[in-house]
């Protein structure tokens, strides 16, 4: 498979792309009103607090929507793969783009329950999701 | 009552270069062809052009997505300008027109040359597989959230939204395919279209799946080409050669989150609020629209616009396009009459506005919609971006 393209890391997104080292999915959250702010911004649009910082969430969520890619955009990208948007269990309007892994391409479905797994790539830990089996 | 600035502007001329899957001239030469044709069509000369605008502005990255910007065209044509502007942070591709309306209202200019040039056919034959990602480079900006997941093209984000739409609406593939079939039928009558051989629903269903449920025939076609329009102040427009095509109302709002992942309504994208704004600026209603040039980067966009403009109810497009009769040239709402971007070539909504004017001026030849169409709805879109114009022949 082709190497994953990686994001440029800045102060706001660093926790998201590195806390996987500890097995944690980091989502920014407001300390005053508990709203999750994503993509990460150090400001809460609900209560205007600046006290917003990364917090580990359960890593569970649901598949909001998905697609199975069949086109080889690059050489060696031939295998079908699943691209999805996953809403975290804690707050349904926080949506995370990801690949669904450990899942037959015919089995992925809307609202499927999933959990995070991380794939280390260079100095980052890329969040992916797999079906919840238990 | 508030006087909306767009009502004091009109399209007075249009031009289009040769459109091809590989041009034998440069992107700038194509742009000059389109610009000079539009200027002449309006009955103007270069000396009359005192504004230029484009979207998204020059991107000298080799992708062919926007190889020509304001500075290059201004110098090539040696224009003397009161105002110019290019840039991508706008309400879709028509952001260039909306900016021009503002500049005209501010008294900065009277005749604005607006252009859109693409050179993607040539770019894809050389270095670029697509225009969003480059291998080995760390990504910043909104698409960085997608970058690690093999998201190499807008087709993949659109497939995510399209799949949710299919899930909610229950639209069938043979209904979706009517957009492609209709546009190819129209393209067969358009000498400038790229693909002119008609296709059937069976051809559509047999076309390769790019990313479920998106098929090859749901996608527009990368080309080399340029389109240009002249937008003039209304009092000037009424002295020129063509009957002015009034910009009766525009939609340019950003009321949802401007995000490709957190957009409030993934399956309608940014369209509903933008259309709502447009209808709030005119006395006309959806039933008054004679023809529609609905953005078709993917057929999903066009289907979405049928609903969001109010030509049918939410999730009612499947019945509206079923069988393809209503959207055909002789139907109740002819859609994408020149073949759209899917068969005509990806001029990124400016091919659509060119076709809108061609029809409203009665110049469309074999594909001319009968009954003297006077009102055309036209749109751009994609993810959190959308823009609309309601065009009315004076
Ligand atoms: Zn808060």
């Amino acid at each position: 498979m082709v190497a994953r393209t990686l994001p440029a890391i800045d102060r706001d997104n660093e926790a998201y792309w590195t806390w996987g080292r500890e097995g944690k999915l980091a989502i920014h959250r407001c300390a005053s009103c508990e709203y999750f702010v994503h993509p990460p911004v150090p400001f809460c649009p609900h209560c205007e607090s600046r006290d917003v910082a990364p917090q580990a969430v359960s890593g569970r969520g649901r598949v909001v929507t998905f697609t199975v890619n069949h086109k080889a955009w690059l050489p060696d990208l031939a295998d079908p793969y699943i691209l999805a948007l996953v809403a975290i269990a804690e707050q349904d309007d926080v949506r995370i783009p990801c690949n669904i892994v450990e899942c037959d391409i015919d089995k992925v479905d809307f609202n499927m329950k999933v959990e995070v797994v991380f794939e280390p790539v260079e100095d980052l830990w890329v969040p992916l999701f797999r079906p919840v089996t238990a | 009552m508030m006087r909306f600035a767009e009502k004091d502007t009109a399209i007075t001329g249009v031009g289009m270069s040769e459109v091809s899957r590989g041009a034998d001239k440069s992107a700038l030469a194509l742009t000059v062809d389109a610009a000079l044709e539009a200027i002449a069509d309006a009955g103007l000369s270069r000396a009359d052009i005192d504004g230029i605008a484009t979207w998204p502005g020059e991107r000298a990255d080799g992708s062919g997505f926007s190889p020509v910007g304001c500075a290059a065209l201004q110098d090539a044509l040696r224009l003397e300008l009161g105002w110019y502007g290019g840039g991508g942070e706008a309400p879709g591709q028509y952001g260039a027109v909306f900016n021009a309306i503002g500049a005209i209202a501010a008294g900065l200019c009277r005749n604005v040359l607006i252009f859109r040039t693409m050179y993607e056919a040539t770019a894809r034959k050389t270095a670029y597989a697509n225009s969003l990602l480059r291998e080995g480079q760390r990504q910043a900006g909104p698409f960085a959230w997608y970058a690690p997941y093999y998201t190499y093209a807008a087709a993949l984000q659109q497939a995510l939204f399209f799949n949710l739409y299919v899930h909610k609406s229950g639209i069938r593939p043979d209904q979706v395919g009517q957009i492609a079939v209709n546009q190819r039928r129209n393209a067969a009558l358009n000498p400038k279209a790229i693909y002119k051989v008609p296709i059937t629903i069976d051809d559509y269903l047999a076309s390769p799946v790019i990313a479920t449920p998106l098929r090859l025939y749901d996608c527009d076609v990368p080309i080399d080409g340029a389109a240009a329009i002249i937008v003039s102040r209304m009092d000037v427009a009424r002295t020129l050669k063509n009957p002015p095509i009034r910009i009766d109302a525009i939609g340019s709002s950003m009321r949802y989150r401007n995000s490709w992942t957190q957009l409030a309504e993934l399956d309608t994208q940014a369209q509903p609020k933008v259309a709502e704004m447009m209808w709030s600026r005119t006395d006309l209603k959806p039933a008054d629209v004679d023809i529609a040039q609905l953005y078709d980067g993917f057929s999903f966009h066009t289907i979405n616009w049928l609903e969001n403009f109010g030509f049918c109810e939410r999730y009612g497009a499947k019945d509206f396009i079923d069988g393809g009769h209503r959207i055909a040239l002789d139907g109740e709402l002819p859609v994408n009459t020149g073949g759209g971007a899917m068969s005509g070539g990806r001029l990124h909504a400016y091919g659509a506005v060119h076709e809108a004017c061609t029809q409203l001026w009665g110049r469309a030849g074999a594909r001319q919609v009968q009954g003297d169409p006077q009102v055309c709805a036209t749109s751009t879109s994609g993810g959190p971006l959308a823009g609309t114009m309601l065009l009315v022949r004076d």
Side-chain angles (χ1 to χ4, degrees), chain B residues 77 79 105 110 122 143 214 259:
Chain B
L77 299 182
L79 300 173
R110 305 189 310 165
T122 290
F143 295 109
L214 189 74
S259 166

Side-chain angles (χ1 to χ4, degrees), chain A residues 8 38 67 81 95 123 127, chain B residues 138-139 149-150 212 257 262:
Chain A
H38 189 77
T67 182
Y81 55 91
R95 300 195 201 106
D123 54 333
Chain B
R138 291 211 171 182
Q139 297 291 311
Y149 305 110
Y150 309 114
T212 56
R257 293 181 67 182
Q262 320 298 325

Side-chain angles (χ1 to χ4, degrees), chain A residues 30 32-33 35 44 46-47 49:
Chain A
C30 173
S32 298
C33 77
Y35 181 74
C44 175
H46 278 187
C47 74
S49 166

Side-chain angles (χ1 to χ4, degrees), chain A residues 1-9 13 16-17 38-40 64-71 73-74 77 81 83-85 93-95 97-99 110 122-124 126-128, chain B residues 129-130 133-140 144-153 155-157 159-161 163-164 167 209-213 257 259-266:
Chain A
M1 196 71 171
V2 174
R4 293 186 189 276
T5 302
L6 295 175
I9 299 306
N13 71 14
Y16 183 87
W17 294 109
H38 189 77
V64 174
T65 189
F66 65 93
T67 182
V68 179
N69 181 77
H70 290 278
K71 182 175 166 67
W73 301 98
L74 299 169
L77 194 70
Y81 55 91
L83 176 70
L85 290 176
D93 68 358
V94 171
R95 300 195 201 106
C98 61
N99 296 128
F110 297 96
E122 299 179 19
D123 54 333
L124 304 181
V126 174
L128 307 169
Chain B
N130 61 77
L133 285 187
R134 301 193 79 167
E135 270 186 283
Q137 252 179 20
R138 291 211 171 182
Q139 297 291 311
W145 298 97
Y146 279 110
Y149 305 110
Y150 309 114
T151 311
Y152 290 103
L156 280 157
Q157 282 115 11
L160 287 174
F161 307 156
N163 205 21
L164 186 60
H167 176 66
V209 173
I210 303 293
T212 56
R257 293 181 67 182
S259 166
W260 290 81
T261 53
Q262 320 298 325
L263 185 61
E265 301 292 343
L266 294 168

Side-chain angles (χ1 to χ4, degrees), chain A residues 31-117:
Chain A
S32 298
C33 77
E34 304 195 318
Y35 181 74
F36 286 97
V37 179
H38 189 77
V41 179
F43 169 74
C44 175
H46 278 187
C47 74
E48 301 195 352
S49 166
R50 267 74 162 176
D51 190 4
V52 176
Q55 184 180 102
V57 294
S58 68
R60 299 242 169 167
R62 71 171 183 101
V63 172
V64 174
T65 189
F66 65 93
T67 182
V68 179
N69 181 77
H70 290 278
K71 182 175 166 67
W73 301 98
L74 299 169
D76 308 321
L77 194 70
D79 292 339
Y81 55 91
I82 303 164
L83 176 70
L85 290 176
V86 165
I88 64 169
E90 287 79 2
Q91 188 173 301
D92 199 61
D93 68 358
V94 171
R95 300 195 201 106
I96 298 174
C98 61
N99 296 128
I100 304 293
V101 296
E102 301 174 37
C103 178
D104 192 295
I105 59 164
D106 299 326
K107 293 290 188 320
V108 62
D109 206 355
F110 297 96
N111 297 315
M112 189 172 79
K113 302 286 185 221
V114 291
E115 64 188 5
V116 74
V117 291

